[in-house]
């Protein structure tokens, strides 16, 4: 089931309840591939993931990134994709028409194991975005209890994001 964009917007308004995994010394991380036009949705996803014990990297929140995209931007994004545990693609109308998002997803596809890449399909008032990727990658869904699920391609069964083991 796709995440309603309205739920992501609501989540962006609250403070994350940071939940760390006490038996490990490290926070799980994910790189977010998204359109900057969807900043509120990205922040909502960041809150939902933080509540599941995952730190979400959002490039425009990184003060070390260049002001304008250039070669250094691409190199830093490549490094983040390599070093984060997962890569998530926030599928919206804006990201589907972005120039950077297909490049980031393609780079991740070549650098990460496929089970470390997931689509976050979203539902707006008109349509569901990201369906064309769902047969290629895992997806992030919202359970009936409001927890994020990590679901394999072509499946309706997943595991809670909070319980996914580290690499």
């Amino acid at each position: 089931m796709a995440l309603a964009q309205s739920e992501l917007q609501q989540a962006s308004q609250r403070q994350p309840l940071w939940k760390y995994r006490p038996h490990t010394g490290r926070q799980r991380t994910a790189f977010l591939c998204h359109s900057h036009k969807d900043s509120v949705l990205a922040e909502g996803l960041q809150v939902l993931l933080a509540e599941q014990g995952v730190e979400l990297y959002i490039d425009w929140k990184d003060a070390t990134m260049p002001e304008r995209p250039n070669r250094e931007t691409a190199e830093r994004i490549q490094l983040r994709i390599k070093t984060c545990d997962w890569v998530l693609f926030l599928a919206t109308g804006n990201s589907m028409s972005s120039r950077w998002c297909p490049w980031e997803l393609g780079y991740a596809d070549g650098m990460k194991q496929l089970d470390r890449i997931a689509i976050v399909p979203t539902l707006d008032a008109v349509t569901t975005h990201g369906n064309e990727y769902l047969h290629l990658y895992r997806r992030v869904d919202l359970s009936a209890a409001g927890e994020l699920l990590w679901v394999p391609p072509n499946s309706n069964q997943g595991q809670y994001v909070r319980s996914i083991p580290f690499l």
Side-chain angles (χ1 to χ4, degrees), residues 36 59 64-74 76-77 100:
H36 289 198
D59 61 353
T64 67
M65 285 295 254
E67 216 172 286
R68 293 190 180 274
N70 59 28
R71 184 70 214 152
E72 181 184 355
T73 306
R76 287 178 183 229
I77 286 173
W100 277 92

Side-chain angles (χ1 to χ4, degrees), residues 41 49 66-67 82 89 97 123 138 164:
L41 302 180
L49 285 165
E67 216 172 286
K82 287 180 194 176
F89 175 73
S97 62
L123 173 66
R138 292 178 180 265
I164 297 172

Side-chain angles (χ1 to χ4, degrees), residues 14 26 37 48-49 56 65 89 95 120 126 140 147 161:
R14 65 180 193 259
R26 166 175 108 78
K37 294 176 183 175
L48 292 177
L49 285 165
L56 186 64
M65 285 295 254
F89 175 73
S95 64
V120 182
V126 178
V140 174
E147 291 199 55
V161 167

Side-chain angles (χ1 to χ4, degrees), residues 25-145:
R26 166 175 108 78
Q27 178 77 22
R28 293 174 297 164
T29 60
F31 174 90
L32 184 61
C33 175
H34 69 293
S35 169
H36 289 198
K37 294 176 183 175
D38 295 320
S39 61
V40 171
L41 302 180
E43 288 179 325
L45 183 61
Q46 188 175 43
V47 168
L48 292 177
L49 285 165
E51 292 171 350
Q52 303 297 306
V54 178
E55 180 183 344
L56 186 64
Y57 174 80
I58 298 177
D59 61 353
W60 49 265
K61 288 187 165 191
D62 183 347
T64 67
M65 285 295 254
E67 216 172 286
R68 293 190 180 274
N70 59 28
R71 184 70 214 152
E72 181 184 355
T73 306
E75 290 168 357
R76 287 178 183 229
I77 286 173
Q78 289 171 332
L79 180 63
R80 285 294 183 160
I81 288 171
K82 287 180 194 176
T83 58
C84 284
D85 296 315
W86 304 305
V87 172
L88 303 179
F89 175 73
L90 183 60
T92 67
N94 292 323
S95 64
M96 299 301 287
S97 62
S98 165
R99 292 182 185 164
W100 277 92
C101 290
W103 177 84
E104 291 172 352
L105 188 57
Y107 184 78
D109 188 274
M111 294 304 299
K112 305 295 268 185
Q113 294 176 356
L114 289 182
D115 66 347
R116 294 296 169 172
I117 302 170
I119 304 303
V120 182
T122 66
L123 173 66
D124 61 22
V126 178
T127 190
T128 299
H129 302 280
N131 290 329
E132 52 274 42
Y133 292 111
L134 295 181
H135 66 285
L136 299 173
Y137 304 107
R138 292 178 180 265
R139 72 181 184 275
V140 174
D141 280 345
L142 197 59
S143 75

